[in-house]
Amino acid sequence: MIPISHVLVLSALLFSIGVLGVMLRRNVIVVFMSIELMLNAVNLSFVGFARTMDDMTGVIFIFFIIVVAAAEAVVGLSIILSIYRTRKTLNIDEFNLLKW
Amino acid sequence: MAFVTTTDLIPLIPELILLGAAFVVLLLDLFAPGSQRTTLAVTTIVGFVIALVAEIQLLDSGATGFYGTIVADGFSILFESLYLVIGILTVLLSLHYLDDHGIGFGEYYVLLITAVVGMMFMTSSLELLVIFIGLEIMSISSYILVGIRRRVPESNEAALKYLLLGAFSTGFLLYGISLLYGATGSIRIPEIVVALQEPGALNNPLAIIGVALIIIAMGFKVAVVPFHMWTPDVYSGAPTPVTAFLSAAAKAAGFAMFVRVLLTGIPLEAELWKDLFWAIAVLTMTVGNVMALMQNSVKRMLAYSSVAHAGYIMVAVVVGTPAALSSVIFYSCAYAVMGTGAFGILTVRHFGKTPDSYDDLAGYARYKPCLAFLMSVFMLSLIGLPLTGGFIGKLQIFQAALEEGWVWLTVIGLLNSALSVYYYLRVVVCLYMREGSVPDGAVLEVAESPGFALTGLVGAASVVVYLGVFPQTLLELAASSVSTLF
């Protein structure tokens, strides 16, 4: 059986990659994907804990995270679509109408 | 054996009523096309009012449901009533704004209702899973509300920034919850408290990192420095009634979650957390006020000032005594009403355009004396002058801080209040001292303010003054609701 520490390290790595992706990437879609990666890293750690503790709560939590992530993706992609229509770009640095 | 009985639904009655209202509005919009925006708005308001009545009926009932997952204690009822009142105010402020800007979606009201339902779940639940879902119902509804003017680049941009940072902070919240779940074996707040009170439980790195991540996420939600960057952008890009709604209700919901999860759920006596919150409170007040000082747009100034007000509330959070917690509640309520009012004035057109910069405020005293007076009331309350709710709120916070010996924190808070006088009074000066010249071709709507908005604004101003003159009722409610928390 894979020990919990392996699962946790993997999920921490994935989460960090997600965070770095959000901060460093400039394409909105890629940033959005990085956020999804963070959520999936969380799912992984929930699975790990649920298995070690032999408790279903963590697994149930994951179902809700998946549903919420899907809802967020729907709204997120439509917002991205509508901003692309008005601005014709997806580069985050060019979304600078509002600042200071 | 039934796992869930109808008695479980009792604490959820207000939420169920609101959901019913949301469906009615959606159907009305579908089957009575082009109808009468007013019908939709009135239906929404009726829904909010019925839910408010149900909420008041639940007071003192102590109803709980779903094995203690949903509770209708004094704390949740007080905050839920606040969301409902702000919801009503927002609808009143929306009607003319939606017409002016050609936002003809009935969904606007539906999303407003679902956002309030999300907040209510966030506040009334003792289980992190339900709190998370409530938070997301609220957030997703407000992402759409912020971006509802979908052909306006600013609105799009605000929605995108809100979405990215909101989802980003949700990631932190979930990771924190999962680590806390790993450390304590539960996602129910009462069980987490018990588990964390075991000796050495707080030295578990999982618990510490988990709590830290949850604090970061909550910081994003209530917009404290250094997690405030999205606030001014989102608040200035969103339709103004939505801004009012977010700055009042969403922020209050954030603080309700903050109190429920962090202050009652996790033993934070350790010096480390106190120092952290201290720094956050001071930074939030100062950065909020200094940035507000430098703004040229009134809407943006109010956005930064809402950051500063979150800082004042953080002072009470640092102190953390029951008296301080009840001042958190009082201040959240007072700020919600005066903030909504202040943003609300900006929804009404002046000289044919929606006012934005300080210069746009010229000529109010002459052409819109009523609005000028109401705005002044809100500004004085935001400064915290006596006879307004803002004064009593600040008094409560700083009194609680002084009682616990937080002298420096109080001094910094008062200095910040003094700083804020400048930019709030600047608004009043612009309203009264500057003659506005009517631009060529502008439609003059002399004293012709939209009736619904005026009703809402007068109501908000009366509440602000009422809270300043007779604060006793709300103070007692706040104190008793804090006692239900522990």
Side-chain angles (χ1 to χ4, degrees):
Chain A
M1 173 166 159
I2 305 165
I4 177 78
S5 55
H6 286 41
V7 180
L8 285 186
V9 169
L10 178 61
S11 97
L13 274 177
L14 281 177
F15 191 82
S16 317
I17 294 173
V19 173
L20 286 176
V22 171
M23 297 203 276
L24 300 178
R25 293 321 261 321
R26 303 272 56 114
N27 185 304
V28 177
I29 304 268
V30 180
V31 170
F32 203 65
M33 277 161 54
S34 306
I35 291 175
E36 297 292 315
L37 189 63
M38 286 165 65
L39 295 183
N40 285 321
V42 172
N43 286 348
L44 196 61
S45 79
F46 263 119
V47 168
F49 286 128
R51 199 182 56 163
T52 359
M53 292 190 285
D54 203 14
D55 178 35
M56 285 314 281
T57 319
V59 182
I60 293 167
F61 211 122
I62 292 172
F63 282 112
F64 283 93
I65 297 180
I66 293 172
V67 171
V68 166
E72 219 162 44
V74 171
V75 172
L77 290 176
S78 14
I79 289 175
I80 292 174
L81 193 64
S82 68
I83 200 168
Y84 182 74
R85 280 193 183 137
T86 52
R87 304 288 282 277
K88 300 289 176 226
T89 174
L90 285 178
N91 187 336
I92 246 176
D93 291 328
E94 290 178 37
F95 300 144
N96 52 7
L97 286 177
L98 307 160
K99 84 179 165 190
W100 298 112
Chain B
M1 185 187 126
F3 290 100
V4 175
T5 59
T6 40
T7 50
D8 283 321
L9 293 176
I10 290 174
L12 283 181
I13 288 173
E15 282 91 334
L16 293 173
I17 292 172
L18 279 187
L19 283 178
F23 284 120
V24 172
V25 174
L26 208 50
L27 287 175
L28 269 182
D29 187 44
L30 186 64
F31 291 115
S35 75
Q36 304 83 63
R37 293 284 108 68
T38 330
T39 323
L40 299 183
V42 170
T43 317
T44 313
I45 291 178
V46 169
F48 278 135
V49 170
I50 298 177
L52 193 59
V53 171
E55 203 73 70
I56 293 166
Q57 298 295 318
L58 278 176
L59 197 65
D60 299 325
S61 72
T64 63
F66 302 98
Y67 304 91
T69 299
I70 304 283
V71 292
D73 54 4
F75 180 78
S76 58
I77 288 178
L78 189 55
F79 267 103
E80 288 177 10
S81 311
L82 175 68
Y83 310 148
L84 293 168
V85 171
I86 298 299
I88 296 171
L89 269 178
T90 312
V91 176
L92 289 175
L93 294 172
S94 298
L95 262 167
H96 63 282
Y97 189 90
L98 299 189
D99 283 344
D100 288 352
H101 293 263
I103 308 169
F105 310 108
E107 290 85 353
Y108 177 89
Y109 296 109
V110 179
L111 290 168
L112 209 57
I113 297 177
T114 50
V116 171
V117 171
M119 292 171 193
M120 291 165 81
F121 272 108
M122 249 165 97
T123 315
S124 61
S125 176
L126 288 183
E127 191 163 299
L128 292 175
L129 174 58
V130 181
I131 292 179
F132 157 69
I133 293 169
L135 176 73
E136 282 306 302
I137 296 175
M138 175 192 93
S139 304
I140 292 178
S141 311
S142 25
Y143 301 150
I144 310 175
L145 281 175
V146 169
I148 203 154
R149 290 157 70 195
R150 58 179 178 178
R151 301 202 197 289
V152 179
E154 284 85 0
S155 189
N156 286 336
E157 191 175 318
L160 183 74
K161 285 180 175 169
Y162 195 25
L163 168 89
L164 290 183
L165 282 169
F168 188 55
S169 69
T170 301
F172 281 98
L173 179 71
L174 286 173
Y175 202 38
I177 292 175
S178 94
L179 293 184
L180 208 55
Y181 167 65
T184 62
S186 177
I187 55 168
R188 296 175 77 95
I189 294 174
E191 289 170 20
I192 291 176
V193 177
V194 173
L196 286 183
Q197 272 162 351
E198 308 246 325
L202 275 176
N203 293 332
N204 185 342
L206 284 184
I208 294 177
I209 300 174
V211 173
L213 287 170
I214 292 180
I215 291 176
I216 292 177
M218 302 263 177
F220 269 111
K221 295 297 173 196
V222 296
V224 291
V225 178
F227 312 114
H228 70 292
M229 297 308 287
W230 58 274
T231 322
D233 289 356
V234 171
Y235 284 13
S236 55
T240 314
V242 175
T243 310
F245 179 71
L246 290 182
S247 77
K251 194 159 269 196
F255 271 108
M257 177 171 76
F258 201 106
V259 169
R260 179 82 88 185
V261 175
L262 284 178
L263 299 184
T264 68
I266 296 159
L268 289 172
E269 278 79 26
E271 280 304 309
L272 173 69
W273 302 124
K274 284 280 178 205
D275 288 347
L276 185 70
F277 282 152
W278 193 92
I280 288 179
V282 171
L283 269 177
T284 308
M285 286 188 290
T286 317
V287 172
N289 276 316
V290 171
M291 292 304 294
L293 215 58
M294 306 192 311
Q295 298 308 315
N296 223 352
S297 145
V298 181
K299 201 171 166 187
R300 239 177 140 71
M301 176 278 275
L302 285 174
Y304 272 111
S305 97
S306 92
V307 173
H309 284 277
Y312 301 134
I313 300 181
M314 283 305 289
V315 170
V317 169
V318 174
V319 178
T321 56
L325 289 190
S326 79
S327 74
V328 171
I329 298 173
F330 187 92
Y331 204 85
S332 299
C333 296
Y335 174 72
V337 180
M338 57 204 187
T340 316
F343 278 115
I345 303 277
L346 300 182
T347 61
V348 182
R349 284 204 287 190
H350 181 55
F351 292 156
K353 66 177 268 205
T354 311
D356 185 42
S357 69
Y358 283 97
D359 296 330
D360 295 345
L361 293 179
Y364 259 79
R366 180 149 162 222
Y367 296 104
K368 289 196 166 61
C370 185
L371 288 188
F373 173 73
L374 291 173
M375 187 63 157
S376 314
V377 171
F378 297 131
M379 287 301 132
L380 296 182
S381 179
L382 286 167
I383 294 174
L385 289 189
L387 293 186
T388 61
F391 170 72
I392 305 286
K394 273 190 186 145
L395 186 72
Q396 295 291 319
I397 289 179
F398 293 130
Q399 209 173 13
L402 276 183
E403 273 167 15
E404 290 296 301
W406 295 90
V407 179
W408 275 109
L409 201 54
T410 313
V411 171
I412 296 173
L414 290 176
L415 284 177
N416 265 296
S417 288
L419 202 62
S420 73
V421 173
Y422 171 74
Y423 58 82
Y424 288 133
L425 279 187
R426 193 171 156 205
V427 171
V428 179
V429 168
C430 287
L431 288 171
Y432 279 97
M433 309 292 180
R434 281 204 206 155
E435 280 293 318
S437 55
V438 184
D440 292 338
V443 193
L444 245 193
E445 327 86 47
V446 182
E448 189 196 296
S449 306
F452 278 100
L454 207 59
T455 320
L457 290 169
V458 169
S462 341
V463 172
V464 166
V465 175
Y466 176 81
L467 286 180
V469 183
F470 306 106
Q472 220 49 44
T473 328
L474 184 57
L475 282 179
E476 276 163 18
L477 269 176
S480 72
S481 70
V482 167
S483 64
T484 62
L485 274 179
F486 295 100

